[in-house]
Amino acid sequence: MLEFYYSTMQGGKSTALLQRRHNLISIGKRVLVLTSSLDDRYGVGKVTSRMGPQCEAQLFTHATVFDSSLPLNGIDEVFIDEAQFLRAEQVHQIHANLTSGLRIRVSCFGLRTDFRGKPFEGAATLLALADTLHEISTLCRCGAKATLNQRIDVRGSPVREGAVLEIGGDSRYRPVCPHCFYS
Ligand SMILES: [Zn+2]
């Protein structure tokens, strides 16, 4: 079973991951958590929510192969945070080797689009292949549903150009609805 939980920046996906992990551990399940080496907002190798709790995570890079070489012995479920940074090929490996081959449930958590509104490779492939999609929805400042991530400068003005990966993390983005994104 491959699941994809998607949200905007600050949409609560890490909080959802940590809550779901807590629920599983409390009934005796063993969980392997992975996160992207590209996301070092809170220190490498951790999943942290702004609410406080955190957990250790193993890092994946673009070179990680998702197969039985991962430490999966005794693991009931795999969580992957920042899953938008997976390569398409890695999502296919997860789908074929982990969820189909080893029958391990894998829950991926991530963004759908970057600050330009373009789909991340990992997210696009997860949207295509996941057995179940879960939207973790959040609100734009205008009250409409936020579906996009707007990059802002230090004064809060929208930024439309630049590298996809930007240092500065959450404070440089806000979740917005399409109307506010394009206006
Ligand atoms: Zn809006």
Side-chain angles (χ1 to χ4, degrees):
M1 179 87 146
L2 177 59
E3 304 197 52
F4 184 34
Y5 293 78
Y6 60 87
S7 75
T8 61
M9 296 283 288
Q10 301 155 42
K13 65 188 168 47
S14 294
T15 304
L17 183 156
L18 290 163
Q19 180 63 51
R20 189 162 164 69
R21 173 179 172 273
H22 173 78
N23 294 348
L24 287 169
I25 288 173
S26 70
I27 57 167
K29 301 286 187 188
R30 293 218 273 172
V31 179
L32 173 66
V33 181
L34 295 113
T35 192
S36 171
S37 62
L38 297 174
D39 181 43
D40 57 1
R41 282 175 292 164
Y42 304 108
V44 171
K46 283 197 176 86
V47 173
T48 308
S49 90
R50 284 163 296 121
M51 316 297 251
Q54 59 180 47
C55 76
E56 300 293 317
Q58 183 161 328
L59 294 177
F60 70 84
T61 68
H62 284 164
T64 301
V65 177
F66 289 83
D67 63 10
S68 56
S69 64
L70 289 172
L72 295 169
N73 225 344
I75 294 296
D76 297 295
E77 186 159 337
V78 175
F79 285 175
I80 303 178
D81 200 15
E82 306 298 341
Q84 71 273 11
F85 294 134
L86 291 164
R87 306 297 297 267
E89 185 190 351
Q90 291 176 311
V91 177
H92 283 284
Q93 289 168 357
I94 291 164
H95 195 225
N97 300 335
L98 303 192
T99 64
S100 298
L102 296 170
R103 295 189 173 275
I104 291 178
R105 186 176 184 135
V106 180
S107 295
C108 295
F109 297 76
L111 307 174
R112 286 191 294 175
T113 54
D114 65 24
F115 74 102
R116 303 164 304 173
K118 298 212 159 83
F120 285 102
E121 181 178 331
T125 314
L126 282 164
L127 287 165
L129 293 182
D131 298 290
T132 313
L133 299 172
H134 306 267
E135 179 175 48
I136 304 169
S137 71
T138 191
L139 294 177
C140 179
R141 295 187 302 173
C142 74
K145 184 169 103 173
T147 55
L148 294 154
N149 303 294
Q150 188 169 60
R151 183 179 288 174
I152 52 178
D153 64 20
V154 288
R155 292 183 305 279
S157 302
V159 178
R160 303 195 190 280
E161 313 229 320
V164 169
L165 273 174
E166 180 84 20
I167 309 304
D170 278 16
S171 64
R172 294 291 308 278
Y173 296 89
R174 66 178 161 228
V176 292
C177 72
H179 178 78
C180 293
F181 184 82
Y182 291 113
S183 62

